[in-house]
Amino acid sequence: MLNQSEEEEEEEQEDSRDSVEIVSSRIGCICQPHLKCDEFMQKYIDVLFDPNATVSPVSEIKETFNQLTQRPCGRKAFSKHLTVKRVHHMNVCETTYLQLLANFVTILHLCNEDDDIPSAKILMMLAFTFHTDGHYLYEDLKKHPIWSSSRFWNAAFLHAVHAERKLRIASDKSFSEQTLEQRTEFGEVHKNIFFGQLTSFLTNMKSLELPKEMIESFRDKVLVFQELDPGKNQFLPCKPAFCSL
């Protein structure tokens, strides 16, 4: 037999569990967060790219979107499905463009607050992809506070290099187990990845009209990280991104 205080405590626990279940049902992100976020974002982005549909700011789908993007799984799923969409839908209608712009502003703000570098990096690249009549998203995002963060650029660059290296270099051998030829090949591939990403980042930073001093500082810092002397120009590829900062 339970006494009165034990019964009251059990009721409170049941009420708490019921409350959690209601909330989880609404935002679909508690028992299987990645699955639920992924499923919702795929549908949400399909609606965004439907020229005959508009997502109302006070609609249930928008409310759910706002709740999910408070979490890393929601931002990751949004970036993932938007990346897939760009293959065939880089040039979008004005309605889709404006909705994408509003979503980018909001999510980049959340990424900046939560230090969500992976999602912010993907959105940065996508901002140079989606456009309407030749007008790209990044052009309306130049004043976003996240671009003024050196922390974002440094971390995003390292994340981009690591992700591409993981994609292009498929080896289960440690460095000590590799032959001299394999080590040389690995070094060449890594150098190409490094300078390819650096060129892309410097070009994007210039397009976003960031201060020259900030761009130069970023360039020199990542070159030092690569153990290259920024003052020795022979290490730098002869590309406009390096020569005309």
Side-chain angles (χ1 to χ4, degrees):
M1 295 291 292
L2 297 175
N3 59 38
Q4 184 175 356
S5 62
E6 289 175 331
E7 289 178 349
E8 291 176 350
E9 181 178 352
E10 185 173 316
E11 287 177 359
E12 288 178 358
Q13 291 175 346
E14 289 178 353
D15 290 341
S16 178
R17 284 194 295 270
D18 290 342
S19 177
V20 169
E21 288 172 1
I22 290 171
V23 172
S24 67
S25 174
R26 289 189 66 191
I27 66 175
C29 194
I30 193 160
C31 296
Q32 296 175 298
H34 298 293
L35 178 62
K36 297 294 185 180
C37 287
D38 195 78
E39 180 182 350
F40 172 84
M41 286 301 175
Q42 183 176 13
K43 295 177 180 177
Y44 177 80
I45 288 174
D46 284 342
V47 173
L48 282 187
F49 282 80
D50 182 348
N52 299 315
T54 303
V55 179
S56 169
V58 294
S59 63
E60 184 177 350
I61 187 174
K62 186 64 174 180
E63 180 184 356
T64 304
F65 170 82
N66 290 338
Q67 292 173 331
L68 288 181
T69 50
Q70 295 287 332
R71 305 180 178 208
C73 71
R75 299 190 291 267
K76 180 179 179 180
F78 178 82
S79 303
K80 169 189 169 183
H81 289 291
L82 204 52
T83 299
V84 173
K85 213 69 171 174
R86 74 173 177 173
V87 177
H88 301 294
H89 299 86
M90 291 186 291
N91 188 4
V92 300
C93 69
E94 185 177 3
T95 300
T96 298
Y97 178 89
L98 292 175
Q99 293 186 104
L100 282 175
L101 179 60
N103 289 333
F104 270 55
V105 169
T106 299
I107 297 179
L108 284 172
H109 174 73
L110 293 170
C111 288
N112 199 25
E113 283 192 333
D114 295 347
D115 203 28
D116 185 354
I117 300 298
S119 294
K121 180 207 71 175
I122 294 173
L123 292 183
M124 181 268 290
M125 294 188 296
L126 291 176
F128 286 85
T129 300
F130 292 110
H131 62 279
T132 181
D133 296 328
H135 186 80
Y136 287 80
L137 277 174
Y138 82 87
E139 297 180 68
D140 290 318
L141 292 168
K142 290 180 180 180
K143 301 301 182 182
H144 200 286
I146 196 170
W147 312 137
S148 63
S149 167
S150 296
R151 156 70 182 161
F152 163 73
W153 290 106
N154 295 334
F157 176 76
L158 295 179
H159 187 276
V161 169
H162 176 74
E164 186 178 353
R165 187 170 60 185
K166 185 178 180 181
L167 186 66
R168 291 177 56 182
I169 303 176
S171 175
D172 55 0
K173 293 182 179 180
S174 65
F175 187 78
S176 61
E177 295 175 323
Q178 295 176 7
T179 65
L180 179 60
E181 182 179 357
Q182 289 173 324
R183 292 181 185 180
T184 302
E185 182 181 358
F186 177 89
E188 285 300 310
V189 173
H190 174 73
K191 184 171 72 173
N192 291 335
I193 292 172
F194 178 86
F195 283 117
Q197 288 290 347
L198 183 52
T199 300
S200 176
F201 269 65
L202 291 174
T203 300
N204 289 352
M205 293 175 82
K206 289 181 64 179
S207 297
L208 289 167
E209 300 179 357
L210 298 181
K212 179 180 178 181
E213 294 76 14
M214 180 180 181
I215 302 176
E216 290 178 338
S217 176
F218 164 78
R219 178 198 61 190
D220 293 347
K221 185 175 294 185
V222 296
L223 287 174
V224 170
F225 179 81
Q226 186 66 13
E227 298 183 348
L228 297 176
D229 184 350
K232 295 182 178 179
N233 294 329
Q234 66 265 31
F235 288 118
L236 301 179
C238 186
K239 295 184 179 180
F242 292 93
C243 305
S244 59
L245 289 178

